[in-house]
Amino acid sequence: MNPDYEEQLKNHPKYPQLVKERKKRLARDGYMNFIKTVWPSFIEGRHHKVMAESFEKIANGEIKRLIINMPPRHTKSEFASYLLPAWFLGKYPEKKIIQTAHTAELATGFGRKVRNLFQDEAFQNIFPDVSLRSDSKAAGRWNTNKGGDYFSIGVGGAVTGKGADLLIIDDPHSEQDAQAGAYNPEVFDRVYEWYTSGPRQRLQPGGAICIVMTRWHKRDLTGQILKSAIQRKGADEWEIIQFPALMPSGSPLWPEFWSEKE
């Protein structure tokens, strides 16, 4: 915006209201702006910007298949399983989300957080026309007032009768599974078989898949998806983003929160 025009605008009697409306519009359109509005204490790192841009492309239909591999404790779940579903359904309250995690309890916990954010004043200010349907407020399965649907499930659970415009898979392997998988890779195979026969089959036309996880083994979900894509000569259909805890330069990925020593 022109600085002179901005200065003139400050003298307008409705300037405070115009500023509020502009912030709301930016939060509706931009994922990072949304996060900073509903999570004021958020500490931004360079990887968050990359993730935010990718999630915006999913919302805009530019990306249909996304895998983000990153270390633990770098706001993976907050970004992908808590704030992304809320923002996506705020923008498109008529759409459907299936959210998965490695246990049903964890998946339901994500659903509860998203549901509660829907009722938060900050969210309501951004999306004033979107709310929960009055008769549908269970933590792991609920509907919006515009006909949208949120359904959470643990790895291995059934998704019969559910559809997804956006399928989110957050850390499908627990650390315990990863340890067991080092000796018995079939632990990873079971997750891949569930993914291909269950949630992947529930995508709506034009639906997107977002997988955010820590890598544990060559046969983990990321590894098997990429192997299958290469065998089908369709590897380019997946957008792959990998974040190491320490960058090639030796500096931490998120120095604002994790020091090199830590």
Side-chain angles (χ1 to χ4, degrees):
M1 184 178 291
N2 186 299
D4 293 334
Y5 177 74
E6 179 74 16
E7 193 62 33
Q8 294 174 12
L9 196 60
K10 288 181 180 179
N11 298 320
H12 194 285
K14 292 187 177 181
Y15 179 70
Q17 181 181 344
L18 293 172
V19 170
K20 288 182 180 179
E21 290 302 318
R22 182 169 181 265
K23 287 182 177 179
K24 290 179 185 179
R25 185 177 68 254
L26 291 174
R28 285 193 294 269
D29 296 339
Y31 185 63
M32 190 64 81
N33 291 320
F34 171 77
I35 287 175
K36 291 177 179 178
T37 302
V38 301
W39 187 6
S41 61
F42 166 65
I43 300 174
E44 182 178 349
R46 50 189 162 182
H47 64 298
H48 295 122
K49 182 179 179 181
V50 176
M51 293 176 73
E53 290 174 351
S54 298
F55 292 163
E56 288 172 3
K57 289 179 179 179
I58 281 182
N60 296 333
E62 298 175 50
I63 294 179
K64 297 297 184 183
R65 302 289 185 271
L66 174 67
I67 291 176
I68 299 179
N69 297 142
M70 58 191 297
R73 310 307 303 162
H74 280 67
T75 63
K76 173 176 9 59
S77 294
E78 286 86 350
F79 255 56
S81 295
Y82 169 39
L83 297 163
L84 175 58
W87 180 70
F88 185 85
L89 286 176
K91 286 175 67 68
Y92 309 111
E94 75 286 356
K95 293 196 173 183
K96 303 177 185 298
I97 287 180
I98 292 179
Q99 164 79 59
T100 76
H102 64 262
T103 68
E105 181 180 4
L106 186 58
T108 300
F110 290 143
R112 182 178 295 107
K113 289 183 69 175
V114 180
R115 181 200 63 186
N116 292 347
L117 182 56
F118 255 63
Q119 301 172 88
D120 186 86
E121 182 179 356
F123 180 90
Q124 284 296 309
N125 285 336
I126 299 169
F127 300 108
D129 298 327
V130 182
S131 62
L132 300 176
R133 204 172 73 187
S134 59
D135 62 344
S136 176
K137 295 184 179 180
R141 52 184 71 189
W142 42 264
N143 302 93
T144 71
N145 62 328
K146 305 292 186 180
D149 184 76
Y150 178 97
F151 179 70
S152 64
I153 190 172
V155 169
V159 289
T160 305
K162 294 293 180 180
D165 294 292
L166 175 58
L167 167 62
I168 301 172
I169 300 178
D170 181 356
D171 266 341
H173 310 290
S174 67
E175 293 186 37
Q176 292 75 23
D177 287 343
Q179 293 170 359
Y183 303 97
N184 180 16
E186 289 183 3
V187 169
F188 298 114
D189 295 343
R190 286 195 290 271
V191 173
Y192 181 67
E193 290 168 4
W194 168 79
Y195 160 76
T196 55
S197 62
R200 191 181 70 176
Q201 303 298 324
R202 310 311 304 176
L203 282 183
Q204 302 275 92
I209 301 174
C210 176
I211 300 173
V212 183
M213 60 177 285
T214 300
R215 293 297 310 270
W216 293 108
H217 194 278
K218 290 182 179 180
R219 283 169 68 171
D220 63 16
L221 186 59
T222 290
Q224 298 211 41
I225 285 175
L226 295 185
K227 180 181 177 181
S228 175
I230 291 170
Q231 290 174 341
R232 301 193 323 271
K233 298 183 179 180
D236 290 341
E237 74 177 74
W238 286 91
E239 179 91 5
I240 314 296
I241 298 173
Q242 298 188 47
F243 294 120
L246 289 174
M247 303 299 286
S249 64
S251 62
L253 172 64
W254 192 12
E256 298 85 356
F257 193 81
W258 289 111
S259 69
E260 181 180 350
K261 180 179 179 180
E262 290 173 315

